[in-house]
Amino acid sequence: MYQTNYHRASSVADALKLLQDAEDGKFVSGGMTLIPAMKTRLAAPSDLIDLRHIAELKGISVEGNKVTIRAGTTHAEVATSRELAAVCPAICDLASHIGDPHVRHMGTIGGSVANNDPAADYPAAMLALGATVVTNSRELAAEDFFTGLFETALDDDEIVTAVYFTAAETCGYEKFPNPASRYAMTGVFVAKNGGDVRVAVTGAGGDGVFRSADLEAALAANFDASALEGASIPAEGLMSDIHASAEYRANLVVVMAKRAVAKARRG
Amino acid sequence: MSDVSMVVNGRKVSGHVEDRTLLVHYLREHLGMTGTHVGCDTSQCGACVVHMDGKAVKSCSVLAVQASGSEILTIEGLAATADADLHPVQAAFREHHGLQCGFCTPGMIMAATDMIRRHPEGLDEKTVRAELEGNICRCTGYHNIVKAILAASEKMKGMAENKETVAA
C-alpha cells in the first residue's frame, strides 16, 4: 500500500471539508473494497476520509412500508434488523449473503451503492425496488444513479447519506456466486407491486445493473417461476470473461429470476 | 504518521504509526502479538480475524488508525474472557482435532467465537459451514472444525451473551 493520510470525519459537513483540503482524497466507510484495492495498489488516494464514525449516517427506520436505510448501516445490521424483516425480508436476505460475516460487520450499504461494483448485490435491489439514493446535496432515482461499471451519477465531492424505498408487496433475490470470489456471477432481484413487476439483474450486464423488460412482462402476466419456462434474454451486451461467457450469463439470468420468484412466493 | 490508541485484550496500548499500517501489522509488528496471522494478503482467508468492539473483522482489511479508539480482542486474550486456560472454543478445537497445520486456527477460533455469540439459540452443521465462508483451511477439509464449533456451541448454550471484555 502506498502512503496515505487518514482523517476521521465527525459529520458529513466535516467530511466534505476534509475532502476539499485533500489533494486526491477518497471517502472510506467500511473499507471492504477500498482497503483491499489499496493493498494491491489499484487505488492510491492521498487522503482517506473515514465516514464510519458519523452518527447521522447510521440507522434504519421503517414507517409503514417506507424504509430508510442510512448509508453507514452495515450489511450485518441490515441482515439482522427485525423491523426491516417485517416489511422487506428480501433485503435482509440479500445483505446476509454479501461477502462473509467479517466483511458484513464492516461493509456498508452506502459504500456498496457508491462503488457500484457490477457484481455487487445492493444495486439490483435498489433498481428493482425503485429506491431513491439520497446524497448531501440531492436525491436521485436508482435508475439515474447507477450509470455504468463502477460509475454513478455522484460528483467527486458528494456523499451518499441514505437510501429509501417503499417495500414491495412481494420480492426476492437469488444469485449464482462465483465459486472463488463469491461475488454474484449473476444475481436477480424481483419485486412485485400489484400488476407492476420489476426484475433487476446484477453481475451480468456489460454496463452494470439493468432491468429486463422481457422478464418483467412475463412475470407481470403470471408471477410464478413457471411463467419463465422457455424464456430467454439476449446475450448481447452481457459481460463475457474467464468466469462465464455472455451466453452462459444470459441463461443464468433466467434461472436466477425463476429462483428469485420462487423465493419471493415462499415469503 | 498518526497516534493510535486502543484497548487490546484488556490492556490500553498506544503508538505512532504510518497511516497505511494495517491493524494486523500493528498487532504483530508493533505489539509483538503474532497469534493473529496473515494468510493471503487478498482479504479472503480469514487467518487474521480479530474482534473489534465485539465483532469479528479481518484485521488485514482495517487500518490501525481506523481501529484507534476501539477494543480489540485477539486469540492471545480469548482464554482470559472465559477465565480459563483455554476458552471453550479453543478446548473444543483441541478435543475434536479441529486443525492440522494450525495456521488458520487463530482466525477460525475468533470467527467461531463470534458465530456462537450471534447464535445463542445454537447452531447446526449447515449454518456453521455457511458462516465459515470467510475462513479458509487448506488442510482439514473443515470436517473437524465444524465438529469443534458445534461442540463448543452446545457447551456454551445458555450463556446468552458471551462476555467480550476482559476483567481489568
mmCIF file with all atom_site columns, all heavy atoms in Angstrom, chain A residues 60-82:
data_model
loop_
_atom_site.group_PDB
_atom_site.id
_atom_site.type_symbol
_atom_site.label_atom_id
_atom_site.label_alt_id
_atom_site.label_comp_id
_atom_site.label_asym_id
_atom_site.label_entity_id
_atom_site.label_seq_id
_atom_site.pdbx_PDB_ins_code
_atom_site.Cartn_x
_atom_site.Cartn_y
_atom_site.Cartn_z
_atom_site.occupancy
_atom_site.B_iso_or_equiv
_atom_site.pdbx_formal_charge
_atom_site.auth_seq_id
_atom_site.auth_comp_id
_atom_site.auth_asym_id
_atom_site.auth_atom_id
_atom_site.pdbx_PDB_model_num
ATOM 1   N N   . ILE A 1 60 ? -31.578 2.481   10.649 1.00 0.00 ? 60 ILE A N   1
ATOM 2   C CA  . ILE A 1 60 ? -32.650 2.047   9.752  1.00 0.00 ? 60 ILE A CA  1
ATOM 3   C C   . ILE A 1 60 ? -33.950 2.581   10.334 1.00 0.00 ? 60 ILE A C   1
ATOM 4   O O   . ILE A 1 60 ? -34.157 2.501   11.547 1.00 0.00 ? 60 ILE A O   1
ATOM 5   C CB  . ILE A 1 60 ? -32.712 0.499   9.733  1.00 0.00 ? 60 ILE A CB  1
ATOM 6   C CG1 . ILE A 1 60 ? -31.414 -0.089  9.172  1.00 0.00 ? 60 ILE A CG1 1
ATOM 7   C CG2 . ILE A 1 60 ? -33.935 0.010   8.960  1.00 0.00 ? 60 ILE A CG2 1
ATOM 8   C CD1 . ILE A 1 60 ? -31.262 -1.584  9.387  1.00 0.00 ? 60 ILE A CD1 1
ATOM 9   N N   . SER A 1 61 ? -34.811 3.160   9.485  1.00 0.00 ? 61 SER A N   1
ATOM 10  C CA  . SER A 1 61 ? -36.129 3.495   10.014 1.00 0.00 ? 61 SER A CA  1
ATOM 11  C C   . SER A 1 61 ? -37.210 2.973   9.070  1.00 0.00 ? 61 SER A C   1
ATOM 12  O O   . SER A 1 61 ? -37.057 2.996   7.852  1.00 0.00 ? 61 SER A O   1
ATOM 13  C CB  . SER A 1 61 ? -36.264 5.001   10.263 1.00 0.00 ? 61 SER A CB  1
ATOM 14  O OG  . SER A 1 61 ? -36.081 5.700   9.066  1.00 0.00 ? 61 SER A OG  1
ATOM 15  N N   . VAL A 1 62 ? -38.253 2.460   9.674  1.00 0.00 ? 62 VAL A N   1
ATOM 16  C CA  . VAL A 1 62 ? -39.367 1.894   8.910  1.00 0.00 ? 62 VAL A CA  1
ATOM 17  C C   . VAL A 1 62 ? -40.645 2.567   9.386  1.00 0.00 ? 62 VAL A C   1
ATOM 18  O O   . VAL A 1 62 ? -40.961 2.530   10.574 1.00 0.00 ? 62 VAL A O   1
ATOM 19  C CB  . VAL A 1 62 ? -39.464 0.362   9.136  1.00 0.00 ? 62 VAL A CB  1
ATOM 20  C CG1 . VAL A 1 62 ? -40.638 -0.220  8.369  1.00 0.00 ? 62 VAL A CG1 1
ATOM 21  C CG2 . VAL A 1 62 ? -38.164 -0.334  8.743  1.00 0.00 ? 62 VAL A CG2 1
ATOM 22  N N   . GLU A 1 63 ? -41.344 3.225   8.454  1.00 0.00 ? 63 GLU A N   1
ATOM 23  C CA  . GLU A 1 63 ? -42.637 3.837   8.794  1.00 0.00 ? 63 GLU A CA  1
ATOM 24  C C   . GLU A 1 63 ? -43.655 3.282   7.816  1.00 0.00 ? 63 GLU A C   1
ATOM 25  O O   . GLU A 1 63 ? -43.587 3.577   6.621  1.00 0.00 ? 63 GLU A O   1
ATOM 26  C CB  . GLU A 1 63 ? -42.566 5.355   8.662  1.00 0.00 ? 63 GLU A CB  1
ATOM 27  C CG  . GLU A 1 63 ? -41.898 6.033   9.851  1.00 0.00 ? 63 GLU A CG  1
ATOM 28  C CD  . GLU A 1 63 ? -41.566 7.489   9.568  1.00 0.00 ? 63 GLU A CD  1
ATOM 29  O OE1 . GLU A 1 63 ? -42.398 8.166   8.925  1.00 0.00 ? 63 GLU A OE1 1
ATOM 30  O OE2 . GLU A 1 63 ? -40.474 7.920   9.964  1.00 0.00 ? 63 GLU A OE2 1
ATOM 31  N N   . GLY A 1 64 ? -44.583 2.473   8.319  1.00 0.00 ? 64 GLY A N   1
ATOM 32  C CA  . GLY A 1 64 ? -45.496 1.778   7.418  1.00 0.00 ? 64 GLY A CA  1
ATOM 33  C C   . GLY A 1 64 ? -44.656 0.900   6.518  1.00 0.00 ? 64 GLY A C   1
ATOM 34  O O   . GLY A 1 64 ? -43.884 0.077   7.005  1.00 0.00 ? 64 GLY A O   1
ATOM 35  N N   . ASN A 1 65 ? -44.763 1.119   5.194  1.00 0.00 ? 65 ASN A N   1
ATOM 36  C CA  . ASN A 1 65 ? -43.907 0.322   4.311  1.00 0.00 ? 65 ASN A CA  1
ATOM 37  C C   . ASN A 1 65 ? -42.810 1.183   3.666  1.00 0.00 ? 65 ASN A C   1
ATOM 38  O O   . ASN A 1 65 ? -42.183 0.787   2.704  1.00 0.00 ? 65 ASN A O   1
ATOM 39  C CB  . ASN A 1 65 ? -44.743 -0.409  3.246  1.00 0.00 ? 65 ASN A CB  1
ATOM 40  C CG  . ASN A 1 65 ? -45.582 0.547   2.430  1.00 0.00 ? 65 ASN A CG  1
ATOM 41  O OD1 . ASN A 1 65 ? -45.559 1.754   2.661  1.00 0.00 ? 65 ASN A OD1 1
ATOM 42  N ND2 . ASN A 1 65 ? -46.311 0.011   1.467  1.00 0.00 ? 65 ASN A ND2 1
ATOM 43  N N   . LYS A 1 66 ? -42.590 2.361   4.238  1.00 0.00 ? 66 LYS A N   1
ATOM 44  C CA  . LYS A 1 66 ? -41.489 3.196   3.742  1.00 0.00 ? 66 LYS A CA  1
ATOM 45  C C   . LYS A 1 66 ? -40.226 2.936   4.571  1.00 0.00 ? 66 LYS A C   1
ATOM 46  O O   . LYS A 1 66 ? -40.230 3.048   5.794  1.00 0.00 ? 66 LYS A O   1
ATOM 47  C CB  . LYS A 1 66 ? -41.870 4.681   3.801  1.00 0.00 ? 66 LYS A CB  1
ATOM 48  C CG  . LYS A 1 66 ? -40.858 5.498   3.015  1.00 0.00 ? 66 LYS A CG  1
ATOM 49  C CD  . LYS A 1 66 ? -41.057 6.994   3.111  1.00 0.00 ? 66 LYS A CD  1
ATOM 50  C CE  . LYS A 1 66 ? -39.766 7.656   2.617  1.00 0.00 ? 66 LYS A CE  1
ATOM 51  N NZ  . LYS A 1 66 ? -39.693 9.068   2.909  1.00 0.00 ? 66 LYS A NZ  1
ATOM 52  N N   . VAL A 1 67 ? -39.190 2.552   3.858  1.00 0.00 ? 67 VAL A N   1
ATOM 53  C CA  . VAL A 1 67 ? -37.942 2.146   4.511  1.00 0.00 ? 67 VAL A CA  1
ATOM 54  C C   . VAL A 1 67 ? -36.842 3.148   4.198  1.00 0.00 ? 67 VAL A C   1
ATOM 55  O O   . VAL A 1 67 ? -36.664 3.528   3.039  1.00 0.00 ? 67 VAL A O   1
ATOM 56  C CB  . VAL A 1 67 ? -37.514 0.750   3.986  1.00 0.00 ? 67 VAL A CB  1
ATOM 57  C CG1 . VAL A 1 67 ? -36.137 0.369   4.523  1.00 0.00 ? 67 VAL A CG1 1
ATOM 58  C CG2 . VAL A 1 67 ? -38.542 -0.308  4.339  1.00 0.00 ? 67 VAL A CG2 1
ATOM 59  N N   . THR A 1 68 ? -36.144 3.591   5.223  1.00 0.00 ? 68 THR A N   1
ATOM 60  C CA  . THR A 1 68 ? -34.952 4.417   5.011  1.00 0.00 ? 68 THR A CA  1
ATOM 61  C C   . THR A 1 68 ? -33.775 3.717   5.675  1.00 0.00 ? 68 THR A C   1
ATOM 62  O O   . THR A 1 68 ? -33.853 3.338   6.847  1.00 0.00 ? 68 THR A O   1
ATOM 63  C CB  . THR A 1 68 ? -35.125 5.820   5.628  1.00 0.00 ? 68 THR A CB  1
ATOM 64  O OG1 . THR A 1 68 ? -36.287 6.422   5.053  1.00 0.00 ? 68 THR A OG1 1
ATOM 65  C CG2 . THR A 1 68 ? -33.901 6.695   5.350  1.00 0.00 ? 68 THR A CG2 1
ATOM 66  N N   . ILE A 1 69 ? -32.723 3.505   4.901  1.00 0.00 ? 69 ILE A N   1
ATOM 67  C CA  . ILE A 1 69 ? -31.504 2.922   5.458  1.00 0.00 ? 69 ILE A CA  1
ATOM 68  C C   . ILE A 1 69 ? -30.398 3.953   5.275  1.00 0.00 ? 69 ILE A C   1
ATOM 69  O O   . ILE A 1 69 ? -30.094 4.349   4.152  1.00 0.00 ? 69 ILE A O   1
ATOM 70  C CB  . ILE A 1 69 ? -31.115 1.603   4.753  1.00 0.00 ? 69 ILE A CB  1
ATOM 71  C CG1 . ILE A 1 69 ? -32.289 0.620   4.750  1.00 0.00 ? 69 ILE A CG1 1
ATOM 72  C CG2 . ILE A 1 69 ? -29.890 0.979   5.430  1.00 0.00 ? 69 ILE A CG2 1
ATOM 73  C CD1 . ILE A 1 69 ? -32.036 -0.657  3.957  1.00 0.00 ? 69 ILE A CD1 1
ATOM 74  N N   . ARG A 1 70 ? -29.850 4.420   6.364  1.00 0.00 ? 70 ARG A N   1
ATOM 75  C CA  . ARG A 1 70 ? -28.781 5.406   6.257  1.00 0.00 ? 70 ARG A CA  1
ATOM 76  C C   . ARG A 1 70 ? -27.509 4.731   5.766  1.00 0.00 ? 70 ARG A C   1
ATOM 77  O O   . ARG A 1 70 ? -27.277 3.546   5.999  1.00 0.00 ? 70 ARG A O   1
ATOM 78  C CB  . ARG A 1 70 ? -28.575 6.110   7.588  1.00 0.00 ? 70 ARG A CB  1
ATOM 79  C CG  . ARG A 1 70 ? -29.756 7.008   7.928  1.00 0.00 ? 70 ARG A CG  1
ATOM 80  C CD  . ARG A 1 70 ? -29.559 7.702   9.257  1.00 0.00 ? 70 ARG A CD  1
ATOM 81  N NE  . ARG A 1 70 ? -30.816 8.237   9.721  1.00 0.00 ? 70 ARG A NE  1
ATOM 82  C CZ  . ARG A 1 70 ? -31.277 9.465   9.406  1.00 0.00 ? 70 ARG A CZ  1
ATOM 83  N NH1 . ARG A 1 70 ? -30.559 10.260  8.665  1.00 0.00 ? 70 ARG A NH1 1
ATOM 84  N NH2 . ARG A 1 70 ? -32.442 9.873   9.858  1.00 0.00 ? 70 ARG A NH2 1
ATOM 85  N N   . ALA A 1 71 ? -26.685 5.554   5.102  1.00 0.00 ? 71 ALA A N   1
ATOM 86  C CA  . ALA A 1 71 ? -25.581 4.996   4.319  1.00 0.00 ? 71 ALA A CA  1
ATOM 87  C C   . ALA A 1 71 ? -24.562 4.203   5.129  1.00 0.00 ? 71 ALA A C   1
ATOM 88  O O   . ALA A 1 71 ? -23.984 3.244   4.642  1.00 0.00 ? 71 ALA A O   1
ATOM 89  C CB  . ALA A 1 71 ? -24.879 6.122   3.564  1.00 0.00 ? 71 ALA A CB  1
ATOM 90  N N   . GLY A 1 72 ? -24.348 4.598   6.382  1.00 0.00 ? 72 GLY A N   1
ATOM 91  C CA  . GLY A 1 72 ? -23.311 3.939   7.180  1.00 0.00 ? 72 GLY A CA  1
ATOM 92  C C   . GLY A 1 72 ? -23.780 2.659   7.853  1.00 0.00 ? 72 GLY A C   1
ATOM 93  O O   . GLY A 1 72 ? -23.052 2.084   8.665  1.00 0.00 ? 72 GLY A O   1
ATOM 94  N N   . THR A 1 73 ? -24.977 2.199   7.511  1.00 0.00 ? 73 THR A N   1
ATOM 95  C CA  . THR A 1 73 ? -25.513 0.966   8.097  1.00 0.00 ? 73 THR A CA  1
ATOM 96  C C   . THR A 1 73 ? -24.801 -0.242  7.491  1.00 0.00 ? 73 THR A C   1
ATOM 97  O O   . THR A 1 73 ? -24.679 -0.350  6.271  1.00 0.00 ? 73 THR A O   1
ATOM 98  C CB  . THR A 1 73 ? -27.037 0.887   7.827  1.00 0.00 ? 73 THR A CB  1
ATOM 99  O OG1 . THR A 1 73 ? -27.632 2.109   8.262  1.00 0.00 ? 73 THR A OG1 1
ATOM 100 C CG2 . THR A 1 73 ? -27.667 -0.277  8.562  1.00 0.00 ? 73 THR A CG2 1
ATOM 101 N N   . THR A 1 74 ? -24.315 -1.123  8.353  1.00 0.00 ? 74 THR A N   1
ATOM 102 C CA  . THR A 1 74 ? -23.547 -2.268  7.843  1.00 0.00 ? 74 THR A CA  1
ATOM 103 C C   . THR A 1 74 ? -24.477 -3.348  7.291  1.00 0.00 ? 74 THR A C   1
ATOM 104 O O   . THR A 1 74 ? -25.665 -3.401  7.627  1.00 0.00 ? 74 THR A O   1
ATOM 105 C CB  . THR A 1 74 ? -22.674 -2.905  8.943  1.00 0.00 ? 74 THR A CB  1
ATOM 106 O OG1 . THR A 1 74 ? -23.539 -3.422  9.957  1.00 0.00 ? 74 THR A OG1 1
ATOM 107 C CG2 . THR A 1 74 ? -21.698 -1.903  9.542  1.00 0.00 ? 74 THR A CG2 1
ATOM 108 N N   . HIS A 1 75 ? -23.882 -4.222  6.489  1.00 0.00 ? 75 HIS A N   1
ATOM 109 C CA  . HIS A 1 75 ? -24.645 -5.350  5.931  1.00 0.00 ? 75 HIS A CA  1
ATOM 110 C C   . HIS A 1 75 ? -25.189 -6.224  7.064  1.00 0.00 ? 75 HIS A C   1
ATOM 111 O O   . HIS A 1 75 ? -26.307 -6.728  6.982  1.00 0.00 ? 75 HIS A O   1
ATOM 112 C CB  . HIS A 1 75 ? -23.759 -6.204  5.013  1.00 0.00 ? 75 HIS A CB  1
ATOM 113 C CG  . HIS A 1 75 ? -23.042 -5.404  3.971  1.00 0.00 ? 75 HIS A CG  1
ATOM 114 N ND1 . HIS A 1 75 ? -23.615 -4.326  3.334  1.00 0.00 ? 75 HIS A ND1 1
ATOM 115 C CD2 . HIS A 1 75 ? -21.784 -5.519  3.458  1.00 0.00 ? 75 HIS A CD2 1
ATOM 116 C CE1 . HIS A 1 75 ? -22.748 -3.816  2.472  1.00 0.00 ? 75 HIS A CE1 1
ATOM 117 N NE2 . HIS A 1 75 ? -21.633 -4.519  2.529  1.00 0.00 ? 75 HIS A NE2 1
ATOM 118 N N   . ALA A 1 76 ? -24.401 -6.386  8.124  1.00 0.00 ? 76 ALA A N   1
ATOM 119 C CA  . ALA A 1 76 ? -24.845 -7.209  9.260  1.00 0.00 ? 76 ALA A CA  1
ATOM 120 C C   . ALA A 1 76 ? -26.062 -6.577  9.919  1.00 0.00 ? 76 ALA A C   1
ATOM 121 O O   . ALA A 1 76 ? -27.003 -7.272  10.327 1.00 0.00 ? 76 ALA A O   1
ATOM 122 C CB  . ALA A 1 76 ? -23.717 -7.377  10.274 1.00 0.00 ? 76 ALA A CB  1
ATOM 123 N N   . GLU A 1 77 ? -26.070 -5.249  10.018 1.00 0.00 ? 77 GLU A N   1
ATOM 124 C CA  . GLU A 1 77 ? -27.214 -4.562  10.631 1.00 0.00 ? 77 GLU A CA  1
ATOM 125 C C   . GLU A 1 77 ? -28.461 -4.696  9.767  1.00 0.00 ? 77 GLU A C   1
ATOM 126 O O   . GLU A 1 77 ? -29.567 -4.883  10.287 1.00 0.00 ? 77 GLU A O   1
ATOM 127 C CB  . GLU A 1 77 ? -26.865 -3.085  10.882 1.00 0.00 ? 77 GLU A CB  1
ATOM 128 C CG  . GLU A 1 77 ? -25.903 -2.896  12.043 1.00 0.00 ? 77 GLU A CG  1
ATOM 129 C CD  . GLU A 1 77 ? -25.177 -1.552  12.048 1.00 0.00 ? 77 GLU A CD  1
ATOM 130 O OE1 . GLU A 1 77 ? -25.266 -0.789  11.057 1.00 0.00 ? 77 GLU A OE1 1
ATOM 131 O OE2 . GLU A 1 77 ? -24.498 -1.268  13.046 1.00 0.00 ? 77 GLU A OE2 1
ATOM 132 N N   . VAL A 1 78 ? -28.301 -4.603  8.448  1.00 0.00 ? 78 VAL A N   1
ATOM 133 C CA  . VAL A 1 78 ? -29.451 -4.783  7.551  1.00 0.00 ? 78 VAL A CA  1
ATOM 134 C C   . VAL A 1 78 ? -29.938 -6.232  7.655  1.00 0.00 ? 78 VAL A C   1
ATOM 135 O O   . VAL A 1 78 ? -31.140 -6.494  7.763  1.00 0.00 ? 78 VAL A O   1
ATOM 136 C CB  . VAL A 1 78 ? -29.083 -4.434  6.094  1.00 0.00 ? 78 VAL A CB  1
ATOM 137 C CG1 . VAL A 1 78 ? -30.204 -4.829  5.131  1.00 0.00 ? 78 VAL A CG1 1
ATOM 138 C CG2 . VAL A 1 78 ? -28.784 -2.937  5.961  1.00 0.00 ? 78 VAL A CG2 1
ATOM 139 N N   . ALA A 1 79 ? -28.994 -7.171  7.661  1.00 0.00 ? 79 ALA A N   1
ATOM 140 C CA  . ALA A 1 79 ? -29.351 -8.597  7.673  1.00 0.00 ? 79 ALA A CA  1
ATOM 141 C C   . ALA A 1 79 ? -30.140 -8.978  8.912  1.00 0.00 ? 79 ALA A C   1
ATOM 142 O O   . ALA A 1 79 ? -31.005 -9.851  8.850  1.00 0.00 ? 79 ALA A O   1
ATOM 143 C CB  . ALA A 1 79 ? -28.086 -9.447  7.565  1.00 0.00 ? 79 ALA A CB  1
ATOM 144 N N   . THR A 1 80 ? -29.860 -8.332  10.030 1.00 0.00 ? 80 THR A N   1
ATOM 145 C CA  . THR A 1 80 ? -30.461 -8.770  11.297 1.00 0.00 ? 80 THR A CA  1
ATOM 146 C C   . THR A 1 80 ? -31.526 -7.815  11.831 1.00 0.00 ? 80 THR A C   1
ATOM 147 O O   . THR A 1 80 ? -31.993 -7.996  12.952 1.00 0.00 ? 80 THR A O   1
ATOM 148 C CB  . THR A 1 80 ? -29.367 -8.946  12.384 1.00 0.00 ? 80 THR A CB  1
ATOM 149 O OG1 . THR A 1 80 ? -28.660 -7.699  12.514 1.00 0.00 ? 80 THR A OG1 1
ATOM 150 C CG2 . THR A 1 80 ? -28.381 -10.035 12.011 1.00 0.00 ? 80 THR A CG2 1
ATOM 151 N N   . SER A 1 81 ? -31.920 -6.816  11.033 1.00 0.00 ? 81 SER A N   1
ATOM 152 C CA  . SER A 1 81 ? -32.921 -5.861  11.507 1.00 0.00 ? 81 SER A CA  1
ATOM 153 C C   . SER A 1 81 ? -34.316 -6.494  11.495 1.00 0.00 ? 81 SER A C   1
ATOM 154 O O   . SER A 1 81 ? -34.854 -6.848  10.448 1.00 0.00 ? 81 SER A O   1
ATOM 155 C CB  . SER A 1 81 ? -32.913 -4.609  10.621 1.00 0.00 ? 81 SER A CB  1
ATOM 156 O OG  . SER A 1 81 ? -34.087 -3.849  10.850 1.00 0.00 ? 81 SER A OG  1
ATOM 157 N N   . ARG A 1 82 ? -34.919 -6.607  12.667 1.00 0.00 ? 82 ARG A N   1
ATOM 158 C CA  . ARG A 1 82 ? -36.254 -7.214  12.761 1.00 0.00 ? 82 ARG A CA  1
ATOM 159 C C   . ARG A 1 82 ? -37.303 -6.324  12.116 1.00 0.00 ? 82 ARG A C   1
ATOM 160 O O   . ARG A 1 82 ? -38.235 -6.795  11.476 1.00 0.00 ? 82 ARG A O   1
ATOM 161 C CB  . ARG A 1 82 ? -36.620 -7.445  14.224 1.00 0.00 ? 82 ARG A CB  1
ATOM 162 C CG  . ARG A 1 82 ? -35.837 -8.595  14.782 1.00 0.00 ? 82 ARG A CG  1
ATOM 163 C CD  . ARG A 1 82 ? -36.496 -9.160  16.027 1.00 0.00 ? 82 ARG A CD  1
ATOM 164 N NE  . ARG A 1 82 ? -35.618 -10.201 16.536 1.00 0.00 ? 82 ARG A NE  1
ATOM 165 C CZ  . ARG A 1 82 ? -35.242 -10.319 17.798 1.00 0.00 ? 82 ARG A CZ  1
ATOM 166 N NH1 . ARG A 1 82 ? -35.706 -9.474  18.686 1.00 0.00 ? 82 ARG A NH1 1
ATOM 167 N NH2 . ARG A 1 82 ? -34.446 -11.276 18.173 1.00 0.00 ? 82 ARG A NH2 1
#
